[in-house]
Amino acid sequence: MKILYHHRIASKDGQYVHVEEIINALRELGHEVVIVSPSIMKNSEFGSDGGIIAKLKQKIPGAVYEILEFSYSIVAFVKLWWNVSKHRPDFIYERYNLYMPAGIWIKKIYRIPLLLEVNAPIFNERMKYNGISIPKLAKWSEIYTWSNAENLLPVTHVLAKYILKQGIPPERITIIPNGINGRQFSDIPDKSIAKKRLGLEKKVVLGFTGFIRDWHGLEKVVELLASAYDGKPRHLLIVGDGPGRMSIQQRAEELGVQDAVTITGIIPRNRILEYIAAFDVALQPDVVDYASPLK
């Protein structure tokens, strides 16, 4: 089958890994995949936060940014229109985002099915963590998109229940939990060798991997290291980088456990096993109930 894969991700983080793996899996199954996405991502390095888009979000009023977000639907519509006209796909596979009805508009014009992958109830998530300046428009865009997709693909049962409460019929919901590419994680290095390479021999290694966000709760682990300090050689190894890094380092210094915390920065995906192999305990300190974490 010919599939048009559409997303609005500008940053190259865990979301990007998820998108890339799904596209690769579809192609391995013999499908032809045409990708429609923001051009800014194609020129970004792995670990990028979206560049100018992220900076713009910080500097302009929330309502202005949200209008710009919605306006991007016009750009996306033109891209989708051109690609659907050229490639004539069998269906559109879209990663859901707020203020993004363009895929539904194309679906209605061309009478082409649209499958919508839903990784979070983004309206609720943004209201809680960032705030939304135009809630009526945001909520409308979410319900409009969900209501008009042929099938919704949430990543957890909890998220599926939330979608049901918004009035989406159960027969149009299919749960697709996140997974891993087993081939990439089949040859795990020896733990003692991994610890020695990192200078963590004879230490109990508490490990976390991913892009560091404030909501991951890693400060709690730093505080636990300090409060439970009894001379035992515990060490927190954070494999990754992100906007939450500075606050973790500051908290570790405040509590005097900075020598027991290592943050590696961005690690190439093909080397991630060298670090995970050193973990004695892998951590997911905090997570929302609807998530299927990419950890």
Side-chain angles (χ1 to χ4, degrees), residues 103-122:
I104 299 299
W105 295 340
I106 290 292
K107 161 200 161 347
K108 288 178 175 290
I109 292 171
Y110 283 91
R111 300 177 184 271
I112 179 174
L114 184 145
L115 306 185
L116 191 67
E117 175 193 299
V118 184
N119 295 274
I122 299 180

Side-chain angles (χ1 to χ4, degrees), residues 156-189:
T156 64
H157 288 272
V158 174
L159 185 51
K161 289 178 181 177
Y162 176 84
I163 293 171
L164 279 169
K165 289 180 180 178
Q166 309 308 308
I168 307 302
E171 63 270 18
R172 289 174 48 212
I173 300 173
T174 304
I175 299 164
I176 53 164
N178 290 329
I180 64 167
N181 184 334
R183 292 192 300 275
Q184 290 187 4
F185 295 92
S186 59
D187 188 17
I188 302 175

Side-chain angles (χ1 to χ4, degrees), residues 40-252:
I40 188 173
M41 191 195 72
K42 298 173 185 175
N43 302 316
S44 301
E45 295 183 358
F46 188 64
S48 153
D49 62 358
I52 190 172
I53 303 298
K55 293 181 176 65
L56 186 67
K57 187 175 182 179
Q58 295 172 357
K59 294 183 179 297
I60 64 176
V64 176
Y65 181 79
E66 288 166 30
I67 290 170
L68 290 175
E69 274 190 283
F70 190 78
S71 299
Y72 176 76
S73 287
I74 299 172
V75 176
F77 175 84
V78 173
K79 286 184 174 182
L80 286 167
W81 172 79
W82 190 86
N83 279 279
V84 169
S85 300
K86 178 181 178 181
H87 298 286
R88 297 291 176 176
D90 295 293
F91 67 90
I92 299 170
Y93 186 107
E94 181 171 283
R95 183 183 173 99
Y96 165 66
N97 215 322
L98 206 59
Y99 298 115
M100 183 48 62
I104 299 299
W105 295 340
I106 290 292
K107 161 200 161 347
K108 288 178 175 290
I109 292 171
Y110 283 91
R111 300 177 184 271
I112 179 174
L114 184 145
L115 306 185
L116 191 67
E117 175 193 299
V118 184
N119 295 274
I122 299 180
F123 174 79
N124 280 14
E125 193 173 79
R126 284 179 54 169
M127 282 290 285
K128 179 177 180 180
Y129 293 106
N130 306 111
I132 291 180
S133 300
I134 316 176
K136 286 186 178 180
L137 178 60
K139 188 63 177 177
W140 171 84
S141 75
E142 181 163 274
I143 299 302
Y144 175 79
T145 306
W146 289 4
S147 299
N148 286 282
E150 256 67 33
N151 202 270
L152 275 72
L153 310 174
V155 292
T156 64
H157 288 272
V158 174
L159 185 51
K161 289 178 181 177
Y162 176 84
I163 293 171
L164 279 169
K165 289 180 180 178
Q166 309 308 308
I168 307 302
E171 63 270 18
R172 289 174 48 212
I173 300 173
T174 304
I175 299 164
I176 53 164
N178 290 329
I180 64 167
N181 184 334
R183 292 192 300 275
Q184 290 187 4
F185 295 92
S186 59
D187 188 17
I188 302 175
D190 181 82
K191 180 177 289 189
S192 60
I193 294 174
K195 284 188 173 185
K196 185 176 181 180
R197 187 181 64 81
L198 296 170
L200 299 174
E201 308 100 304
K202 299 181 180 180
K203 293 186 179 181
V204 177
V205 178
L206 311 177
F208 173 91
T209 181
F211 287 86
I212 309 166
R213 311 292 186 186
D214 293 336
W215 60 75
H216 284 147
L218 288 166
E219 287 86 354
K220 297 176 187 176
V221 183
V222 174
E223 291 165 3
L224 181 63
L225 281 176
S227 65
Y229 187 74
D230 53 10
K232 291 184 179 179
R234 300 185 184 93
H235 197 92
L236 174 59
L237 175 60
I238 300 174
V239 184
D241 208 339
R245 176 175 184 162
M246 187 63 70
S247 63
I248 293 167
Q249 291 174 325
Q250 289 175 346
R251 190 63 178 143

Side-chain angles (χ1 to χ4, degrees), residues 10-30:
S11 57
K12 277 197 174 179
D13 53 12
Q15 301 175 90
Y16 166 76
V17 173
H18 187 258
V19 166
E20 187 177 57
E21 288 293 346
I22 287 180
I23 291 170
N24 290 341
L26 289 171
R27 285 173 172 165
E28 284 186 21
L29 289 171

